[in-house]
Amino acid sequence: MIRILTLLLCLIAPPAAAQAQAGFDPFGEAGIDDRQGARVPLAVPLTDAQGRRTTLRALGGGKPILLVPVLHNCPNICGVTLAGVADAIKDQPLRPGKDFALVAFSIDPKEAPKDAAADLARLREREGMQTLPASAVTGSADAIHAVTRAIGYRYAWDQRIGQYAHVAAVAVLTPEGRLAGWLYGIAPKADDLSRALTDARNDRAASWGEKLLLLCFHYDPVTGRYTASIVKALRIAGVITALSVGLLLWRLRRRGAA
């Protein structure tokens, strides 16, 4: 009962945008819109780390796709995100290449195949990752926007740091190219990853409860994680307390009337 109330009350919490300061805030612009079930254009032309033309359909090969939006030259959370995904892959039974495809997808049209190759090389320097089946791709602005618009992934150029402000998350696509859901943060749990891939393979989306629960969290660009908002938590706790007291008084009145 309390969980259901919590999920519902998350909807009435004021949006983060209303609390943003005036002026352009790249990290405020970055985020993920709800596009679950949306069709992703698998045929847009991309270029792999070897400079060959390819598509998400070709890379997926009829399997679910873990699509990781990144900057291949990112000095911050991108490499950590890919490493976190790789660590989660090691701790669950589904295997990349056999059961799903892992694709590091550049959101910067200025990046080239050599940047994608360097990103893969850094990932494979990690212990146990030397033979990890993964792809790293680049694309034109039109190709990148076609994919990111479809999955609801928003990012913005930050002049202060000279790169795109973006969130750490992994899109999970079905073999047919629909968005099944997201894994949030720089270190997804192995169980969550396995469940998401299994759902994508069976063409199932995340439950409404899981989606609503994400509204109670906000993205921290410093840590690359989604963390519970203390303001929202206190507001929700206060409303739940008021409802609980009201329910108790209503029951006492009913008893008295009987």
Short mmCIF file of all heavy atoms in Angstrom, two decimals, residues 11-43:
data_model
loop_
_atom_site.label_atom_id
_atom_site.label_comp_id
_atom_site.label_asym_id
_atom_site.label_seq_id
_atom_site.Cartn_x
_atom_site.Cartn_y
_atom_site.Cartn_z
N LEU A 11 4.31 11.52 -8.83
CA LEU A 11 3.79 12.25 -9.98
C LEU A 11 3.46 13.69 -9.65
O LEU A 11 3.44 14.55 -10.53
CB LEU A 11 2.53 11.54 -10.51
CG LEU A 11 2.77 10.14 -11.08
CD1 LEU A 11 1.45 9.54 -11.50
CD2 LEU A 11 3.71 10.22 -12.27
N ILE A 12 3.15 13.98 -8.38
CA ILE A 12 2.75 15.34 -8.03
C ILE A 12 3.93 16.17 -7.57
O ILE A 12 3.78 17.35 -7.29
CB ILE A 12 1.66 15.33 -6.94
CG1 ILE A 12 2.22 14.75 -5.62
CG2 ILE A 12 0.46 14.55 -7.39
CD1 ILE A 12 1.25 14.83 -4.47
N ALA A 13 5.12 15.58 -7.49
CA ALA A 13 6.30 16.35 -7.10
C ALA A 13 6.62 17.34 -8.19
O ALA A 13 6.53 17.03 -9.37
CB ALA A 13 7.50 15.43 -6.86
N PRO A 14 7.00 18.55 -7.88
CA PRO A 14 7.26 19.56 -8.90
C PRO A 14 8.42 19.16 -9.78
O PRO A 14 9.40 18.60 -9.30
CB PRO A 14 7.60 20.82 -8.08
CG PRO A 14 8.04 20.31 -6.76
CD PRO A 14 7.25 19.06 -6.52
N PRO A 15 8.32 19.39 -11.08
CA PRO A 15 9.40 19.00 -11.99
C PRO A 15 10.67 19.77 -11.69
O PRO A 15 10.65 20.91 -11.24
CB PRO A 15 8.84 19.37 -13.38
CG PRO A 15 7.81 20.42 -13.10
CD PRO A 15 7.23 20.06 -11.76
N ALA A 16 11.81 19.11 -11.98
CA ALA A 16 13.11 19.73 -11.71
C ALA A 16 13.28 21.01 -12.52
O ALA A 16 13.96 21.94 -12.09
CB ALA A 16 14.24 18.74 -12.04
N ALA A 17 12.67 21.04 -13.71
CA ALA A 17 12.84 22.21 -14.56
C ALA A 17 12.30 23.46 -13.88
O ALA A 17 12.81 24.58 -14.08
CB ALA A 17 12.12 22.00 -15.89
N ALA A 18 11.25 23.31 -13.07
CA ALA A 18 10.66 24.46 -12.41
C ALA A 18 11.60 25.04 -11.37
O ALA A 18 11.47 26.20 -10.97
CB ALA A 18 9.34 24.06 -11.75
N GLN A 19 12.55 24.21 -10.89
CA GLN A 19 13.46 24.66 -9.86
C GLN A 19 14.79 25.13 -10.44
O GLN A 19 15.69 25.56 -9.73
CB GLN A 19 13.72 23.52 -8.87
CG GLN A 19 12.45 23.01 -8.21
CD GLN A 19 12.72 21.79 -7.36
OE1 GLN A 19 13.86 21.39 -7.16
NE2 GLN A 19 11.68 21.20 -6.84
N ALA A 20 14.94 25.00 -11.76
CA ALA A 20 16.21 25.37 -12.38
C ALA A 20 16.39 26.88 -12.36
O ALA A 20 15.44 27.64 -12.42
CB ALA A 20 16.23 24.87 -13.83
N GLN A 21 17.63 27.28 -12.29
CA GLN A 21 17.92 28.70 -12.30
C GLN A 21 17.73 29.25 -13.70
O GLN A 21 17.73 28.52 -14.69
CB GLN A 21 19.37 28.93 -11.84
CG GLN A 21 19.61 28.52 -10.40
CD GLN A 21 21.05 28.78 -9.98
OE1 GLN A 21 21.88 29.11 -10.81
NE2 GLN A 21 21.31 28.64 -8.71
N ALA A 22 17.54 30.56 -13.78
CA ALA A 22 17.36 31.20 -15.07
C ALA A 22 18.65 31.07 -15.87
O ALA A 22 19.74 30.99 -15.34
CB ALA A 22 17.00 32.67 -14.87
N GLY A 23 18.50 31.10 -17.21
CA GLY A 23 19.66 30.99 -18.07
C GLY A 23 19.85 29.57 -18.56
O GLY A 23 19.22 28.64 -18.07
N PHE A 24 20.72 29.42 -19.52
CA PHE A 24 20.95 28.12 -20.13
C PHE A 24 21.79 27.24 -19.23
O PHE A 24 22.87 27.63 -18.79
CB PHE A 24 21.64 28.29 -21.48
CG PHE A 24 21.95 26.99 -22.15
CD1 PHE A 24 20.95 26.17 -22.62
CD2 PHE A 24 23.27 26.60 -22.32
CE1 PHE A 24 21.25 24.96 -23.24
CE2 PHE A 24 23.58 25.40 -22.94
CZ PHE A 24 22.56 24.58 -23.40
N ASP A 25 21.31 26.06 -18.94
CA ASP A 25 22.01 25.09 -18.11
C ASP A 25 22.14 23.79 -18.90
O ASP A 25 21.17 23.05 -19.02
CB ASP A 25 21.24 24.86 -16.81
CG ASP A 25 21.88 23.78 -15.94
OD1 ASP A 25 23.04 23.41 -16.21
OD2 ASP A 25 21.21 23.29 -15.01
N PRO A 26 23.33 23.50 -19.46
CA PRO A 26 23.47 22.30 -20.28
C PRO A 26 23.07 21.02 -19.56
O PRO A 26 22.41 20.16 -20.14
CB PRO A 26 24.97 22.30 -20.64
CG PRO A 26 25.37 23.73 -20.55
CD PRO A 26 24.56 24.29 -19.42
N PHE A 27 23.47 20.90 -18.28
CA PHE A 27 23.10 19.69 -17.56
C PHE A 27 21.61 19.66 -17.25
O PHE A 27 21.03 18.60 -17.07
CB PHE A 27 23.93 19.57 -16.28
CG PHE A 27 25.30 19.00 -16.52
CD1 PHE A 27 26.43 19.79 -16.43
CD2 PHE A 27 25.46 17.67 -16.85
CE1 PHE A 27 27.69 19.26 -16.68
CE2 PHE A 27 26.71 17.13 -17.09
CZ PHE A 27 27.84 17.93 -17.00
N GLY A 28 21.00 20.86 -17.19
CA GLY A 28 19.55 20.90 -17.03
C GLY A 28 18.84 20.46 -18.29
O GLY A 28 17.75 19.90 -18.25
N GLU A 29 19.46 20.73 -19.45
CA GLU A 29 18.88 20.32 -20.72
C GLU A 29 19.04 18.82 -20.96
O GLU A 29 18.23 18.20 -21.64
CB GLU A 29 19.57 21.08 -21.87
CG GLU A 29 19.32 22.57 -21.88
CD GLU A 29 17.87 22.91 -22.18
OE1 GLU A 29 17.29 22.28 -23.08
OE2 GLU A 29 17.32 23.80 -21.50
N ALA A 30 20.11 18.27 -20.42
CA ALA A 30 20.36 16.84 -20.62
C ALA A 30 19.35 16.01 -19.84
O ALA A 30 18.95 16.37 -18.74
CB ALA A 30 21.78 16.50 -20.17
N GLY A 31 18.94 14.90 -20.40
CA GLY A 31 17.98 14.04 -19.71
C GLY A 31 17.44 12.98 -20.65
O GLY A 31 17.91 12.81 -21.79
N ILE A 32 16.43 12.28 -20.19
CA ILE A 32 15.81 11.22 -20.98
C ILE A 32 14.30 11.37 -20.91
O ILE A 32 13.72 11.40 -19.82
CB ILE A 32 16.23 9.83 -20.46
CG1 ILE A 32 17.74 9.64 -20.62
CG2 ILE A 32 15.48 8.72 -21.21
CD1 ILE A 32 18.28 8.36 -20.02
N ASP A 33 13.66 11.49 -22.07
CA ASP A 33 12.21 11.56 -22.15
C ASP A 33 11.64 10.15 -22.24
O ASP A 33 12.33 9.22 -22.68
CB ASP A 33 11.78 12.37 -23.37
CG ASP A 33 12.27 13.81 -23.30
OD1 ASP A 33 12.31 14.36 -22.18
OD2 ASP A 33 12.62 14.37 -24.36
N ASP A 34 10.39 10.02 -21.85
CA ASP A 34 9.74 8.72 -21.89
C ASP A 34 9.35 8.38 -23.33
O ASP A 34 8.39 8.92 -23.87
CB ASP A 34 8.51 8.71 -21.00
CG ASP A 34 7.86 7.33 -20.92
OD1 ASP A 34 8.43 6.38 -21.47
OD2 ASP A 34 6.79 7.22 -20.30
N ARG A 35 10.11 7.51 -23.96
CA ARG A 35 9.82 7.06 -25.32
C ARG A 35 9.68 5.54 -25.37
O ARG A 35 9.89 4.94 -26.42
CB ARG A 35 10.94 7.49 -26.26
CG ARG A 35 11.13 8.97 -26.44
CD ARG A 35 10.15 9.54 -27.45
NE ARG A 35 10.56 10.88 -27.85
CZ ARG A 35 10.27 11.97 -27.17
NH1 ARG A 35 9.58 11.87 -26.05
NH2 ARG A 35 10.67 13.17 -27.59
N GLN A 36 9.38 4.95 -24.23
CA GLN A 36 9.34 3.50 -24.18
C GLN A 36 8.38 2.94 -25.22
O GLN A 36 7.26 3.43 -25.39
CB GLN A 36 8.90 3.04 -22.79
CG GLN A 36 9.25 1.59 -22.53
CD GLN A 36 9.38 1.31 -21.05
OE1 GLN A 36 9.06 2.14 -20.22
NE2 GLN A 36 9.86 0.14 -20.72
N GLY A 37 8.86 1.94 -25.95
CA GLY A 37 8.06 1.35 -27.01
C GLY A 37 8.27 2.01 -28.36
O GLY A 37 7.78 1.51 -29.38
N ALA A 38 9.02 3.12 -28.38
CA ALA A 38 9.25 3.84 -29.63
C ALA A 38 10.10 3.02 -30.58
O ALA A 38 10.95 2.23 -30.16
CB ALA A 38 9.93 5.19 -29.36
N ARG A 39 9.85 3.21 -31.86
CA ARG A 39 10.64 2.54 -32.86
C ARG A 39 11.93 3.29 -33.11
O ARG A 39 11.93 4.49 -33.33
CB ARG A 39 9.84 2.45 -34.15
CG ARG A 39 9.82 1.08 -34.57
CD ARG A 39 9.02 0.54 -35.64
NE ARG A 39 8.08 -0.46 -35.21
CZ ARG A 39 8.43 -1.69 -34.96
NH1 ARG A 39 9.69 -2.06 -35.02
NH2 ARG A 39 7.54 -2.56 -34.61
N VAL A 40 13.04 2.59 -33.07
CA VAL A 40 14.37 3.18 -33.28
C VAL A 40 14.81 2.89 -34.71
O VAL A 40 14.71 1.74 -35.17
CB VAL A 40 15.39 2.60 -32.28
CG1 VAL A 40 16.76 3.24 -32.48
CG2 VAL A 40 14.91 2.81 -30.85
N PRO A 41 15.26 3.90 -35.46
CA PRO A 41 15.67 3.67 -36.85
C PRO A 41 16.97 2.86 -36.93
O PRO A 41 18.07 3.42 -36.82
CB PRO A 41 15.84 5.08 -37.40
CG PRO A 41 16.15 5.93 -36.21
CD PRO A 41 15.40 5.31 -35.06
N LEU A 42 16.84 1.57 -37.13
CA LEU A 42 18.01 0.70 -37.15
C LEU A 42 18.82 0.80 -38.44
O LEU A 42 19.95 0.31 -38.49
CB LEU A 42 17.58 -0.76 -36.95
CG LEU A 42 16.87 -1.12 -35.63
CD1 LEU A 42 16.59 -2.61 -35.59
CD2 LEU A 42 17.72 -0.69 -34.43
N ALA A 43 18.24 1.44 -39.45
CA ALA A 43 18.91 1.46 -40.76
C ALA A 43 19.73 2.71 -41.01
O ALA A 43 20.31 2.86 -42.10
CB ALA A 43 17.87 1.29 -41.86
#
